[in-house]
Amino acid sequence: MSKRFYFIGFFVLLCFDTLTQICMKYAGEQALPVELDTVWLLRVLETVWVYLALGGYLGSFVTWMTLLKYAPVGPAFAASHLEIASVTLLSVWLFNEPLTTNKVLGGVLILLGVVCLAKGQGAAGDDLKSGE
């Protein structure tokens, strides 16, 4: 598969995963206080955020299954967690959450880890092609 396929596929997965987490945050805010009764359940089911989150989960699942058909699982699994960085950045804007040095450092380490796994997979593929 081409690099374009992986790039677009993982970008779509990142968008679905980010959408899901942001919508779950909004749904969670509207679901409080949690009361295990029918009124609470109906209140939760009336929010659009729950359905957007479910749509995000469905989109993520379909995208992930499509990517796993072609991508090596190691780098793919790592890349599937890039939403941690995107959700962290969006939470600063949408929820006024602080962006601390530790959060920035963690996001950078996640990105570096994905790049290292992808480069390692590329080198292993090159070794297989050359017969080493």
Side-chain angles (χ1 to χ4, degrees), residues 76-95:
F77 185 71
S80 71
H81 291 83
L82 286 173
E83 84 275 7
I84 294 170
S86 63
V87 169
T88 299
L89 290 175
L90 283 174
S91 69
V92 172
W93 175 50
L94 296 172
F95 306 113

Side-chain angles (χ1 to χ4, degrees), residues 94-125:
L94 296 172
F95 306 113
N96 294 320
E97 294 182 3
L99 185 61
T100 64
T101 303
N102 285 345
K103 288 181 179 179
V104 171
L105 183 60
V108 169
L109 289 174
I110 289 169
L111 293 175
L112 288 174
V114 170
V115 169
C116 287
L117 286 169
K119 292 280 185 187
Q121 185 63 36

Side-chain angles (χ1 to χ4, degrees), residues 29-78:
E29 288 179 347
Q30 294 185 2
L32 295 176
V34 176
E35 300 167 7
L36 298 179
D37 58 19
T38 306
V39 174
W40 174 81
L41 182 61
L42 291 174
R43 182 167 42 101
V44 169
L45 292 176
E46 288 177 352
T47 65
V48 68
W49 301 112
V50 170
Y51 300 103
L52 288 173
L54 290 173
Y57 276 124
L58 180 63
S60 293
F61 177 77
V62 171
T63 306
W64 179 238
M65 291 297 109
T66 303
L67 284 168
L68 277 184
K69 184 174 181 180
Y70 303 103
V73 72
F77 185 71

